[in-house]
Amino acid sequence: RMQHDDQLFLRWRKRGEAQALAELFDRTAPQLLKLAIHLVGDASAAEDLVQATFLALIEQRERIDASRPIEPW
């Protein structure tokens, strides 16, 4: 699973494939949301946190080390 997520990130990063980014979001957002709810204790704030995480991913995509797994990022 993580390897597939890494491939999706690379497809989006290198080729700008919006579908790859959408699939990466769909695959990882539910798990991130569970973690965020655990951390902040509020579903609405947790949703905002997940959205902010993906916004940071989009804004910083060139600075992310593509040789490392994307999920821990």
Side-chain angles (χ1 to χ4, degrees):
R1 176 187 167 151
M2 275 178 52
Q3 185 176 21
H4 183 67
D5 294 346
D6 296 338
Q7 291 170 349
L8 289 170
F9 173 72
L10 288 176
R11 281 182 25 214
W12 170 70
R13 180 178 175 185
K14 290 181 179 180
R15 299 182 216 144
E17 290 184 32
Q19 181 60 37
L21 180 62
E23 187 176 339
L24 180 62
F25 180 84
D26 290 345
R27 290 172 54 88
T28 59
Q31 188 176 13
L32 291 173
L33 183 59
K34 286 180 187 178
L35 175 62
I37 289 171
H38 175 76
L39 293 173
V40 298
D42 176 71
S44 180
E47 289 176 2
D48 291 344
L49 186 56
V50 170
Q51 290 176 6
T53 299
F54 269 87
L55 182 58
L57 175 74
I58 290 167
E59 291 173 343
Q60 299 175 24
R61 73 182 185 183
E62 294 301 323
R63 291 184 281 182
I64 295 171
D65 184 352
S67 68
R68 300 182 66 187
I70 192 63
E71 196 167 295
W73 179 88

